[in-house]
Structures are given as structure tokens and as C-alpha cells.
Amino acid sequence: MSWLWTVMRPLAVVVLRPAFRIKVVGRKNIPRRGAAILASNHLSALDHVVLPMATRRTITNISKKEHFETGPVKAWFFRQWGVIPVDRGKGDSAAMDAARQSLREGNLFCIYPEGTRSLDGKLHRGHTGVARLALEMRVPVVPCGMVGTFEAKPKGGKTRYFSKTAAVIGPPLDFSRHWGKQDDKEVCREVTDQIMRAIAKVSGQEFVNEYQENPDLPHHKKGKSGKT
């Protein structure tokens, strides 16, 4: 467990829970021990603080490398919090290696299969990296739904304190029948689609079978990202 997480989480609970009226549903669905992938929708920067309210365990996740380039203090904080920098849009193998290592160590690893925040509040088609990682590392996938964070802090918008938010956690998904098939594109697509359906169920979002365009990446066109 990250020492920073141990020190900061109690304070974060006291401050953030009332500030965003965070409710947790399905807490028991997060394994109390052992490696697992938390696959979540992504509506807001608040997702990074709402989901951790669901467990006392450290959650490792990835975030764009730009966050690590805005100053040494912020970069230090992110690393101590368990955040892995990723060079978006370039198939960052180092980030995925770090994710694998985190799972080998028996940790929880959070991934947003949409690849970026939703700009319209809907759930978009998932990239298959989540399936490849789950099948290679042979770990369960826990679908997570962030609710109300889009309204509380939309991308580029003002933060609305005391808005109702929630982390809704679904039952773990077992893909053991497909373990070792991480190089099978059809299997990875099937597994990813099943994960997205489970996320839609817990989040209550409308599903759009198109990739979310990321305006921060000029070459990333909706539905034409080159990813499966």
C-alpha cells in the first residue's frame, strides 16, 4: 500500500465525501485482497477521487504524462499516489509494463476503457487494452460506474460542490475461459464489449458504439483511432 495513500485517504474521506456527497454502492464487490482490474466509465477528473472512496486498498491507475510535466511537486505527488504516466496515442509499452507489474504484486489497477473522458455524458465504445491485460494477467475485472461526476465537474467546466455523486461497483467478471487469448482480436473485442455492457448497467448511462473523440489528440478521430 502506498504510504501517501495511507496518510491521505482518511483526510480525503472527511473532506471529499461531504464536498461531493459521495455515495458508495456495491463496496463488497471489490476484492479485499489479490489482483483485480477496476474498469470504469470516465466522466470527470473527479472520478479519480470518487472511486477510491469505495475501498481502503491502494488503487494504481494511469494518467496522461502531461500531468507529470507541470512541476516536480505535482509529479512527485502523482507517483507516490500510485499513478503511472502514459504517453497517450502512442501505444506506451512502458505504462502497460508498469500496469502488469502492479497486478503481479497483487494490487488493484484502475483503467478507463473509453480512453478519455466522455464529452457528452454517454458511455462510449471501449478499447481492447482492458481485455488484453485481463486475459494476459489472468485477473477478474470489476465494472465500476461513476455517477454524477459529469454534472459536478464537466471537462472544462466549473466545479459544483455539494452535487450528488456515487461510485457503483458491480460483481466481478470472470473471463477465465479466455485466459491466455490476449492476442486473439475477436476474443478481446468480445470481452471488452461485455465489460462495457457491465459498466453501462452500473452507471446507468446510454451506450454509444463509437469511440470518444479526444480533442487533446489531433489525430484521434471518432471511430477512426486505429484501435480495436
Side-chain angles (χ1 to χ4, degrees), residues 3-125:
W3 70 269
L4 185 62
W5 179 275
T6 303
V7 172
M8 293 291 293
R9 187 184 185 281
L11 178 61
V13 170
V14 171
V15 174
L16 296 172
R17 269 200 161 170
F20 297 103
R21 301 170 69 185
I22 300 171
K23 179 180 180 180
V24 176
V25 179
R27 187 192 307 272
K28 67 181 184 340
N29 288 320
I30 296 180
R32 297 184 66 179
R33 60 183 63 85
I37 294 173
L38 307 182
S40 178
N41 60 335
H42 197 15
L43 294 168
S44 165
L46 282 180
D47 300 337
H48 298 303
V49 298
V50 171
L51 181 56
M53 297 298 106
T55 179
R56 293 181 180 179
R57 296 184 62 186
T58 300
I59 300 174
T60 303
N61 55 34
I62 59 177
S63 186
K64 59 185 180 181
K65 70 171 186 177
E66 288 82 356
H67 285 310
F68 294 79
E69 299 171 347
T70 56
V73 174
K74 185 176 181 179
W76 175 87
F77 184 89
F78 269 53
R79 292 184 187 281
Q80 296 303 317
W81 194 257
V83 180
I84 299 168
V86 61
D87 194 354
R88 299 177 302 167
K90 296 185 178 180
D92 192 334
S93 59
M96 292 308 293
D97 285 343
R100 293 185 186 97
Q101 182 58 34
S102 180
L103 290 169
R104 289 190 191 99
E105 293 172 356
N107 298 319
L108 297 175
F109 176 72
C110 175
I111 189 170
Y112 301 114
E114 292 169 278
T116 188
R117 280 175 283 178
S118 174
L119 299 179
D120 56 13
K122 299 176 182 178
L123 184 68
H124 291 258
R125 182 177 173 88

Side-chain angles (χ1 to χ4, degrees), residues 130-227:
V130 61
R132 294 197 301 273
L133 189 61
L135 301 186
E136 178 184 355
M137 302 308 299
R138 305 188 177 203
V139 296
V141 178
V142 182
C144 305
M146 301 298 98
V147 179
T149 55
F150 182 81
E151 292 77 14
K153 186 175 177 57
K155 186 172 183 177
K158 294 183 178 180
T159 301
R160 299 182 177 90
Y161 293 101
F162 307 113
S163 298
K164 289 184 178 180
T165 64
V168 184
I169 316 300
L173 303 174
D174 179 7
F175 296 111
S176 57
R177 66 191 182 281
H178 294 310
W179 282 353
K181 298 179 182 179
Q182 63 271 12
D183 294 324
D184 188 319
K185 291 184 179 181
E186 290 186 3
V187 168
C188 287
R189 183 72 263 165
E190 175 189 339
V191 168
T192 301
D193 290 345
Q194 185 174 338
I195 292 170
M196 300 312 291
R197 288 194 295 269
I199 294 175
K201 184 175 181 179
V202 294
S203 70
Q205 289 170 279
E206 177 185 346
F207 177 71
V208 178
N209 195 26
E210 294 180 344
Y211 294 116
Q212 171 65 72
E213 179 182 0
N214 187 341
D216 295 332
L217 300 177
H219 65 281
H220 187 180
K221 301 300 183 182
K222 185 183 294 185
K224 299 180 179 179
S225 65
K227 300 180 182 179

